[in-house]
Amino acid sequence: MDNLGRQPSFPSEGDSFDISEKTMARHRRLVGRVLTVLTMVFAATVVIPLLWVLVSVFQKGVGALVFPDIFTKLPPPPGLSEGGFGHAIIGSLMTLGIATMIAVPFGVIAAIYLAEFGRGTKLAYLVKFSCNVLTGVPAILCGLFAYSIVVRPMGGFSAFSGGVALAVLMLPIIIRSTEEALLLVPNEMRLAATGIGATRFQTVVQIVLPAALTSIVTGVVLSVARASGEAAPLLFTSFNNNFWAANVWEPVATLPILIYFFSIIPYKASQALAWAAALVLLSLVLIFSVLARYFSRQKTF
């Protein structure tokens, strides 16, 4: 007892529990704020260089785009200033179209096997492993692959060989995105189709694929955006052409290759065309990315 005759008070178990809870809450808030600041710093580290590149390309390329004939003319001879890169836009669309026609059927079929028919099998494991390896393969190796199986047997460069090289780049993206889209379809839909007498093939074709179509389209659009900016594979396959080309069995000009060649030419007019082509290519990739974002927000089922 103290001098006033009162019993000394000691902190109870509940009081210590409240103190520890308050301390932990303050600690969590502090850690949360620190991690938030670090996240913003790392995000700015990624976004600022990207914005710098976008602004630089826009500033140096928008000046040449004020002339509409830049999309309809051929590139000028060295030293001259009048011309365009319409043939490169056509060539890029040709190679991307061929790549899409090759990669989409093979990628979707492989994904259907992985998600619907081959779960747990050794072949499915091999396909998944090969797909993961192919995701990390440098793009230039895809060009060498297409060169060895298409360019050399055919005896020359062509838009078709460029499409084959880009298709190899697109395949892993299409396979993985389509497989994930199919796995997201509720199993109850498969059971309901089986319950009314549908075969497994009919269930996949008429029920599962339509339900996952939006996500599949998103993966295809992303793969096209991934392949549209690659220059290394096209150096070994479609190469280049300074004239209009409508034959898929002939060399064609593409935007990435035109940017590469014109950027190293010591003429300001050609370098200006390279910046303008880079802005057009960047706009195409941005459009593909926006389309992929749009399709990803649509309800699948």
Side-chain angles (χ1 to χ4, degrees):
M1 297 179 62
D2 55 10
N3 297 330
L4 299 179
R6 293 177 299 185
Q7 293 288 341
S9 61
F10 298 96
S12 63
E13 183 177 354
D15 295 337
S16 62
F17 181 76
D18 293 338
I19 294 173
S20 61
E21 279 292 321
K22 293 179 181 179
T23 304
M24 291 179 62
R26 286 196 298 267
H27 177 72
R28 284 195 295 266
R29 286 196 295 268
L30 178 61
V31 172
R33 291 172 182 172
V34 172
L35 292 179
T36 301
V37 172
L38 289 177
T39 302
M40 296 176 62
V41 170
F42 292 143
T45 305
V46 175
V47 172
I48 290 176
L50 177 61
L51 292 177
W52 190 4
V53 171
L54 293 177
V55 172
S56 298
V57 173
F58 181 81
Q59 289 178 344
K60 296 181 180 180
V62 71
L65 294 180
V66 297
F67 305 102
D69 56 355
I70 198 174
F71 299 101
T72 59
K73 288 186 176 182
L74 293 174
L80 299 182
S81 58
E82 294 184 359
F85 46 81
H87 67 312
I89 297 177
I90 300 297
S92 293
L93 295 178
M94 288 173 60
T95 54
L96 287 174
I98 294 170
T100 303
M101 288 188 292
I102 295 174
V104 170
F106 283 100
V108 172
I109 292 174
I112 291 174
Y113 173 77
L114 293 177
E116 302 294 334
F117 298 100
R119 290 191 201 178
T121 62
K122 292 183 179 180
L123 180 59
Y125 173 78
L126 180 61
V127 172
K128 281 189 176 182
F129 178 77
S130 302
C131 185
N132 292 333
V133 172
L134 193 59
T135 304
V137 170
I140 193 170
L141 295 183
C142 298
L144 290 174
F145 169 76
Y147 177 84
S148 62
I149 67 170
V150 181
V151 176
R152 292 193 64 182
M154 292 178 56
F157 303 106
S158 64
F160 177 77
S161 59
V164 172
L166 296 182
V168 176
L169 285 173
M170 295 167 61
L171 262 179
I173 301 176
I174 296 176
I175 293 175
R176 297 308 301 270
S177 61
T178 303
E179 181 191 3
E180 293 298 328
L182 296 176
L183 292 176
L184 288 175
V185 177
N187 197 42
E188 288 78 6
M189 299 179 67
R190 299 177 177 86
L191 296 177
T194 304
I196 61 176
T199 64
R200 194 168 186 181
F201 179 79
Q202 290 174 330
T203 301
V204 172
V205 174
Q206 299 181 14
I207 303 297
V208 179
L209 279 179
L213 184 60
T214 301
S215 299
I216 295 174
V217 173
T218 302
V220 172
V221 174
L222 286 175
S223 66
V224 173
R226 162 76 169 83
S228 60
E230 292 292 343
L234 301 178
L235 283 172
F236 297 94
T237 51
S238 61
F239 195 60
N240 193 26
N241 190 348
N242 290 326
F243 304 97
W244 298 103
N247 191 347
V248 297
W249 308 109
E250 295 179 354
V252 295
T254 54
L255 287 174
I257 298 299
L258 182 138
I259 294 170
Y260 169 73
F261 282 125
F262 278 23
S263 63
I264 60 177
I265 294 179
Y267 297 103
K268 291 186 177 180
S270 299
Q271 293 176 0
L273 280 180
W275 282 109
L279 181 58
V280 171
L281 183 59
L282 191 63
S283 301
L284 290 176
V285 174
L286 179 61
I287 291 173
F288 287 134
S289 301
V290 171
L291 287 175
R293 188 70 175 176
Y294 169 77
F295 286 117
S296 66
R297 287 180 175 271
Q298 302 302 309
K299 292 184 179 181
T300 304
F301 43 80

